[in-house]
Amino acid sequence: MLSNDITESLVEQVSEALGHESPLVIEGGGSKAFYGYPQSADLQRLHTVEHCGVIDYSPDELVIHVRAGTPLSEVKQLVRDNGQMLAFEPPDFGGNATIGGVIASGLSGPRRPYAGAARDFVLGLTLITGAAEVLTFGGQVMKNVAGYDVSRLVTGALGTLGVILDVSLKVLPAPELEVTRTIAVARHEFQALLQSMGRHIPISAAAHEDGYLSIRVSGSEMAVTAALGKLAGEEKENAYWDQLNNLDYFVDASELWRVSVAPGSGAMLEEAALVDWGGGLRWVSEPEVCPRKKLAGEGHATLMKYNARFLDSGLDIFQPLGEPLAGIHQRLKQQFDPAGIFNPGRMYRDF
Amino acid sequence: MDKLNFISRLSKICGANIITDKPLLKVYETDGLTAKKQLPWLVVLPASIEEVQQIVRLCHRFDVPVVARGAGTGLSGGAMPHAEGVLLVLAKLNRVLSVDVDNLSATLEPGVTNLAISEAVKSLGLYYAPDPSSQIACSIGGNVAENSGGVHCLKYGLTVHNVRKLKVVSPAGDLYEVGSEAFDSAGYDLLALLHGSEGMLGIVVEVTVKLLPMPESICVIMAGFASVAGAAAAVTDIIAAGILPAGLEMMDRPAIQAAEAFVKVGYPTGAEALLLCELDGIEAELESQLHSLTRILQENGATSIATAHESEDRERLWLGRKAAFPAIGRIAPDYYCMDGTIPRRHLSRVLDRISSLSEEFSLPVANVFHAGDGNLHPLILYDANKADELQRAEEFGARILELCIEVGGTITGEHGVGIEKIDQMCIQFTTAELSIFHGIKAAFDEKSILNPGKAVPTLHRCAEFGAMHVHAGKEKFPELDRF
């Protein structure tokens, strides 16, 4: 695997941008360029892909420390070769996703309700701040409460707080066996079915679409075999979960909403084309009314696919924040990036 | 500020729930870190969120420091009072507000004890995973403030992994929510940022936790070893074999002997090290794991192996570990508990070094640790009534923390920085990193009225500590470079 440390060059580019007060768009593999507000083609790019390689990987410590530009596919392959996995199952949207982008977007896949989110596996990271300083937070150990948890704050901040240089992630043993089953059940009944399986079936993913519940069972061969004996339904390819994770299902949708609610919530349950995360994540394409209007204060909705006229109409891509949260966000941004040079307006229009 | 005027305004908010008498204030002069004492100016015990808001608003207006306190079991002096400030005791807010079986969550007031959560949902076949040793007394609000761990962290995570939503009172007295009942929320991850923030950013007044279904099957394996290195190697092999135990704990000889003398549960007192390993999950999965685990323990020279399946037997095996701190308390007048975390591969070397430091400072040490995640709890035994023993214990502790940083670890895994480890923060972080921490504090609490002086040292303090440290270093740390 390629290993290359270009910290110096990246810091230099940030310093220069700071000197000219000209914004920088941080770009890894570009697989999630569609996520968040579009960044003008006129803005200068800061490319991280050459800052790559595994700094340290000790499978028996359950920790991998990698540079931001390392391709997600290579990291997944490396840990797989060692019988381990990135348990939050980050999507790559069929592109050249990098670890930096995975952490900056903070998105997690179908295993999320059962294993945890991207932020749950971040142990520490190094970033270049808007003052062109290289700072390290957290570390390579499982437990660390020294100082505020900046690593998790930066996870999912879409690069607005700094340029991620490297990150340490907790990895988990990969299950010996995974099998997917699909069972015919109505939308309003699938959660009761899931609940009845409770603690006896080692579920690692559950999604509902077109009248069918798909569940993935993971564990030792003995455990999975025993669990399958208690389950009805037809077997299905495990590749289904990658397709679902990468939104293949919605390739032709012109408007797609990601609605995140409590798994048992009734909001947008029937309207959603696909329900993932055991009920907690609802994908709604081309709805008649904006899903935010139907959420009534519970959960939040993100516009994942859209055409430009949506933005012209003033629609927000991410759920707007009320006070005092919006003020806290702005002040945090100000502390990390006082000149506002990183990914301006990518997450919220005003910073 | 007119102090009497302030007190009269305060009593309009919370009536008789104010303590101003010195003898009564003395009850609150320390948290679990008894070496650090400070009488608060006032103690208030609000009975509702509205009262908390009004009290904090009043303090904000008059620039009076506010130190939040739950059960006061913290081990780093995070809830040590402020001489000029109000100690905001949240213990009266101790109701379980709701349990949501469909979404596997429970909403609690901050003073609910950790163990009370699991007890409240036990009949539903559910439990709350993080279980710090102080779980019978410590409160969920304090668990959030310190991001507490426990013996089940390796598999189930810390408090931050098990909380969905918080209601927080800002320094200006505003009430807001972070996180949600959903699996994520819009914006920055303030839910994570508030965890472990030691009452510096906001006052937690309501906590929604994630509940888990009780595992189908649980077993506990206890193994004795003739050497610490043997036990450490077994831990590495267990993880390498792809087994993720629910708990994986180690104790050294002094800790084993103290625990056995206290609870008499049949720990191998002749062993140099003891491993306690809990497996949980689907019955079929457990069987195959237990088989590999036993083989690994044998291959690494275990001198005794005991397995417990029934709940009573399992609890018996855990009892010695969970009672380790009080057990040590019986054999020494005082003990000082450390909390460094290290990459596990350095375990044997760090323990050797702690043992030679123990000789250097002429103070015995007993070690208990969360072996799976590298979190060490060396307990330094001393007698506060003997001249200079406390000071020696603190110096010894500081050296252990510095050792943890040397090998790429951290000064605190789960107890927090508080006032205790504030100087070591200057070693773990650079000036620019500390400045970001101060920036985060300012983003939430511009007037710095919440728990001032804790968790993050001022740059001035670090400069002074640095001067002292370098001076001392010339004489005391010549061998550190061997790591």
Side-chain angles (χ1 to χ4, degrees):
Chain A
M1 194 186 298
L2 199 63
S3 184
N4 201 13
D5 182 348
I6 59 158
T7 304
E8 250 173 68
S9 149
L10 292 170
V11 172
E12 205 170 292
Q13 290 174 68
V14 173
S15 292
E16 256 173 51
L18 192 59
H20 301 131
E21 286 182 34
S22 61
L24 280 176
V25 176
I26 307 166
E27 210 169 86
S31 65
K32 289 174 279 288
F34 69 92
Y35 185 53
Y37 290 98
Q39 302 281 286
S40 159
D42 302 338
L43 297 181
Q44 202 186 323
R45 260 56 184 171
L46 181 75
H47 294 284
T48 59
V49 285
E50 283 179 33
H51 188 66
C52 62
V54 175
I55 299 169
D56 187 23
Y57 175 38
S58 330
D60 59 35
E61 300 262 352
L62 301 177
V63 178
I64 188 164
H65 184 189
V66 281
R67 293 197 186 93
T70 317
L72 171 63
S73 56
E74 289 186 17
V75 174
K76 275 162 70 173
Q77 185 62 49
L78 176 65
V79 297
R80 193 183 301 132
D81 291 345
N82 286 276
Q84 298 184 330
M85 63 175 176
L86 296 179
F88 58 101
E89 240 177 348
D92 59 17
F93 299 113
N96 304 310
T98 60
I99 283 293
V102 162
I103 298 310
S105 69
L107 295 169
S108 311
R111 206 183 302 269
R112 194 268 170 255
Y114 311 96
R119 56 90 100 165
D120 294 321
F121 292 90
V122 173
L123 301 176
L125 50 75
T126 300
L127 77 160
I128 309 174
T129 65
E133 286 176 315
V134 175
L135 310 184
T136 301
F137 299 98
Q140 280 80 53
V141 290
M142 295 291 157
K143 291 160 102 179
N144 188 349
V145 290
Y148 300 122
D149 196 344
V150 174
S151 318
R152 290 198 173 91
L153 177 68
V154 167
T155 304
L158 282 177
T160 58
L161 298 177
V163 183
I164 298 172
L165 285 175
D166 56 73
V167 57
S168 293
L169 297 170
K170 180 178 180 179
V171 292
L172 288 182
E176 227 170 85
L177 181 64
E178 298 199 300
V179 177
T180 301
R181 280 273 176 92
T182 172
I183 304 162
V185 57
R187 178 62 56 86
H188 65 278
E189 285 168 344
F190 84 90
Q191 279 153 316
L193 179 63
L194 273 178
Q195 256 187 27
S196 71
M197 297 175 189
R199 59 190 190 141
H200 305 292
I201 309 286
I203 298 173
S204 70
H208 190 272
E209 60 168 307
D210 293 337
Y212 285 90
L213 170 68
S214 298
I215 61 169
R216 184 175 59 192
V217 182
S218 305
S220 69
E221 216 175 310
M222 274 167 81
V224 173
T225 312
L228 290 175
K230 299 175 194 162
L231 280 180
E234 305 284 318
E235 199 154 323
K236 193 172 184 171
E237 295 276 321
N238 282 330
Y240 169 73
W241 300 103
D242 285 331
Q243 293 157 10
L244 183 149
N245 201 8
N246 292 322
L247 303 181
D248 292 0
Y249 196 80
F250 299 105
V251 75
D252 295 323
S254 65
E255 181 192 352
L256 179 65
W257 288 87
R258 176 190 188 276
V259 180
S260 182
V261 289
S265 162
M268 307 302 292
L269 184 63
E270 296 295 338
E271 293 93 328
L274 171 69
V275 175
D276 193 3
W277 289 4
L281 190 62
R282 294 160 192 197
W283 294 97
V284 185
S285 71
E286 298 163 34
E288 278 168 29
V289 286
C290 170
R292 272 184 206 134
K293 293 204 168 102
K294 294 192 167 183
L295 284 182
E298 55 167 326
H300 64 110
T302 309
L303 190 51
M304 295 292 282
K305 280 184 159 195
Y306 52 88
N307 61 42
R309 73 188 158 80
F310 279 112
L311 300 186
D312 294 342
S313 72
L315 195 65
D316 296 297
I317 289 187
F318 296 98
Q319 186 106 2
L321 303 165
E323 286 301 340
L325 288 180
I328 293 172
H329 276 69
Q330 281 175 351
R331 292 192 295 275
L332 284 171
K333 167 73 177 175
Q334 177 72 27
Q335 294 293 342
F336 280 85
D337 179 19
I341 54 171
F342 295 134
N343 290 1
R346 173 140 190 196
M347 194 173 188
Y348 290 100
R349 291 174 201 264
D350 46 358
F351 64 81
Chain B
M1 181 194 56
D2 178 348
K3 289 194 167 185
L4 284 176
N5 176 23
F6 183 86
I7 293 175
S8 109
R9 282 167 188 263
L10 207 53
S11 38
K12 276 187 195 133
I13 300 168
C14 46
N17 293 324
I18 305 178
I19 300 171
T20 54
D21 294 345
K22 264 206 176 141
L24 294 173
L25 288 175
K26 210 160 161 46
V27 174
Y28 297 94
E29 68 178 352
T30 165
D31 63 8
L33 181 71
T34 51
K36 303 280 180 193
K37 291 185 171 66
Q38 172 63 57
L39 274 189
W41 172 38
L42 297 171
V43 172
V44 290
L45 297 103
S48 68
I49 291 179
E50 293 70 30
E51 285 186 13
V52 174
Q53 287 182 268
Q54 289 173 38
I55 294 164
V56 173
R57 211 171 278 143
L58 187 70
C59 292
H60 188 254
R61 185 173 157 200
F62 289 101
D63 293 314
V64 173
V66 180
V67 179
R69 171 183 162 122
T73 56
L75 291 170
S76 58
M80 187 184 81
H82 191 288
E84 313 282 312
V86 165
L87 188 72
L88 188 71
V89 179
L90 297 153
K92 273 185 188 267
L93 301 173
N94 62 356
R95 289 174 304 165
V96 175
L97 296 172
S98 63
V99 176
D100 181 346
V101 178
D102 289 340
N103 293 307
L104 295 180
S105 67
T107 299
L108 319 151
E109 290 187 330
V112 173
T113 64
N114 175 291
L115 189 62
I117 307 169
S118 289
E119 278 175 356
V121 297
K122 197 175 175 182
S123 62
L124 301 165
L126 303 171
Y127 77 109
Y128 173 65
D131 58 344
S133 308
S134 56
Q135 67 181 148
I136 53 164
C138 64
S139 67
I140 187 66
N143 288 179
V144 171
E146 300 297 337
N147 192 15
S148 306
V151 299
H152 290 104
C153 291
L154 181 64
K155 186 166 179 181
Y156 295 106
L158 300 151
T159 305
V160 69
H161 301 106
N162 290 279
V163 169
R164 293 225 168 106
K165 188 169 86 172
L166 297 175
K167 268 191 190 165
V168 182
V169 171
S170 78
D174 297 325
L175 184 66
Y176 64 98
E177 280 184 9
V178 294
S180 79
E181 300 272 2
F183 288 113
D184 53 23
S185 341
Y188 295 155
D189 197 338
L190 302 186
L191 181 65
L193 189 62
L194 280 158
H195 276 83
S197 66
E198 307 198 24
M200 305 271 291
L201 306 181
I203 311 282
V204 173
V205 291
E206 196 179 292
V207 185
T208 300
V209 299
K210 173 172 108 176
L211 301 174
L212 294 174
M214 276 185 226
E216 191 178 270
S217 189
I218 306 175
C219 73
V220 177
I221 302 93
M222 177 178 76
F225 287 85
S227 73
V228 167
V235 170
T236 301
D237 287 354
I238 291 167
I239 306 287
I243 299 172
L244 192 65
L248 188 52
E249 298 287 307
M250 200 194 287
M251 296 164 78
D252 72 356
R253 189 186 181 97
I256 299 167
Q257 292 183 341
E260 178 59 21
F262 185 32
V263 295
K264 299 184 184 61
V265 289
Y267 277 15
T269 46
E272 284 299 322
L274 176 146
L275 273 188
L276 274 170
C277 181
E278 182 171 299
L279 299 173
D280 70 0
I282 310 284
E283 206 166 331
E285 178 107 45
L286 224 64
E287 267 175 52
S288 59
Q289 286 192 350
L290 184 59
H291 184 75
S292 343
L293 185 78
T294 312
R295 187 176 43 77
I296 291 168
L297 293 171
Q298 283 163 348
E299 281 170 3
N300 283 285
T303 48
S304 65
I305 297 178
T307 307
H309 290 274
E310 297 308 315
S311 140
E312 220 172 89
D313 301 334
R314 293 194 320 255
E315 274 163 30
R316 215 174 139 73
L317 290 186
W318 271 121
L319 193 61
R321 168 62 187 88
K322 291 213 170 183
F325 290 14
I328 299 292
R330 286 174 75 244
I331 59 167
D334 300 280
Y335 67 86
Y336 183 36
C337 172
M338 311 309 298
D339 177 43
T341 303
I342 56 165
R344 218 174 348 86
R345 57 176 172 261
H346 298 302
L347 190 61
S348 289
R349 287 197 292 169
V350 167
L351 290 180
D352 282 348
R353 185 80 183 108
I354 289 176
S355 135
S356 50
L357 283 168
S358 167
E359 280 171 33
E360 187 183 327
F361 284 92
S362 308
L363 292 172
V365 63
N367 285 291
V368 295
F369 31 80
H370 307 300
D373 44 34
N375 187 198
L376 313 176
H377 291 318
L379 298 157
I380 301 168
L381 280 48
Y382 70 99
D383 182 349
N385 291 325
K386 285 193 188 149
D388 92 335
E389 279 215 353
L390 170 61
Q391 198 198 336
R392 266 194 288 144
E394 286 185 335
E395 261 178 55
F396 182 2
R399 294 277 293 276
I400 293 177
L401 298 185
E402 285 154 22
L403 182 60
C404 292
I405 301 173
E406 281 291 320
V407 301
T410 177
I411 56 175
T412 174
E414 57 183 1
H415 294 171
V417 173
I419 194 68
E420 178 204 18
K421 305 176 197 79
I422 198 154
D423 287 333
Q424 280 70 39
M425 286 289 283
C426 309
I427 306 177
Q428 186 162 340
F429 294 99
T430 65
T431 304
E433 286 154 4
L434 292 171
S435 297
I436 282 285
F437 291 152
H438 288 298
I440 292 171
K441 167 76 170 164
F444 283 82
D445 180 19
E446 204 190 344
K447 291 175 88 174
S448 198
I449 65 157
L450 297 183
N451 214 5
K454 306 280 178 60
V456 184
T458 61
L459 301 181
H460 178 71
R461 183 177 181 129
C462 284
E464 287 193 340
F465 174 70
M468 180 194 85
H469 190 70
V470 171
H471 170 71
K474 276 178 193 158
E475 333 212 334
K476 287 184 177 167
F477 300 142
E479 31 338 45
L480 270 188
D481 59 356
R482 71 179 162 127
F483 287 98

